Amino acid sequence: MLSSNRTEPLMLMQILLHTPKWVFAVFVLLAWLGGRQLVANRLGLNRVLVMPVAMAGLSFFGVVSAFGDSAGALLGWAVAALLLVALVLRRPLPATTRYDAAARQFQVAGTAVPLMLMMGIFFTKYVVGVSLAMHPELRHHVAFALGVPALYGAFSGIFAARAARLWRLAAASGAMVSGARAA
């Protein structure tokens, strides 16, 4: 019989070998997108919205793929998302954040937060998928069925609130309204 110290690396290797290749491509894409956020950047109004919508969709898909249309799981996701939106909206934007109404672009400082959130969603989805493949009964454990959707919801809420703070800055300048009329 092998000791647990010798079987764990073998199990990890088997998990990685049985992971579809596209999963690694998604990881590289998310790491690249998150890495781009590490430096100061200029972002348009619409671009500010794309990433939170995409990440919320990915996290919601993670809940549905793991728990189906379980009302408890979906509620846990929504409550966590709303709670984190409320908490993050209370925080001010970094002092260096600016909105250029003429160009309809934000100047934002570099930050690791988007990278951490993307990796959090990715690794949560990966670990949950592996865990459920190995132990399908986890789907019915209360702590797992509430904790995982809440974690996904927290990621989504932070993404959404970060975008909402920027949109609020643009709205305060009045440029979004006048720009929408001109378009």
Side-chain angles (χ1 to χ4, degrees):
M1 181 172 171
L2 293 173
S3 74
S4 67
N5 289 343
R6 299 185 90 186
T7 59
E8 288 173 5
L10 294 174
M11 184 184 305
L12 180 59
M13 185 59 71
Q14 286 300 310
I15 290 169
L16 291 174
L17 288 173
H18 288 90
T19 298
K21 303 297 182 246
W22 64 265
V23 172
F24 297 108
V26 169
F27 172 79
V28 169
L29 175 64
L30 292 174
W32 177 74
L33 288 170
R36 290 182 59 196
Q37 305 301 312
L38 294 171
V39 296
N41 204 352
R42 292 186 69 82
L43 306 169
L45 282 169
N46 292 331
R47 188 167 163 216
V48 166
L49 188 60
V50 169
M51 188 58 68
V53 168
M55 291 296 105
L58 185 59
S59 80
F60 187 78
F61 173 71
V63 172
V64 171
S65 66
F67 304 102
D69 61 357
S70 162
L74 295 175
L75 182 63
W77 180 85
V79 167
L82 291 173
L83 179 64
L84 267 292
V85 164
L87 290 173
V88 174
L89 281 176
R90 290 181 181 182
R91 296 183 48 86
L93 284 167
T96 58
T97 304
R98 301 281 183 261
Y99 180 67
D100 179 351
R104 296 177 51 124
Q105 290 188 329
F106 298 96
Q107 176 67 40
V108 295
T111 176
V113 173
L115 176 62
M116 292 185 303
L117 293 170
M118 287 183 230
M119 291 297 103
I121 292 171
F122 177 86
F123 284 115
T124 300
K125 175 91 174 94
Y126 189 81
V127 168
V128 167
V130 169
S131 297
L132 289 175
M134 295 173 65
H135 304 285
E137 71 278 2
L138 283 174
R139 181 174 281 112
H140 306 292
H141 289 200
V142 173
F144 191 83
L146 291 177
V148 169
L151 184 58
Y152 278 130
F155 292 136
S156 296
I158 295 169
F159 258 120
R162 288 171 51 84
R165 290 187 314 171
L166 291 173
W167 274 75
R168 191 167 56 188
L169 174 64
S173 75
M176 273 181 36
V177 176
S178 63
R181 277 188 241 142

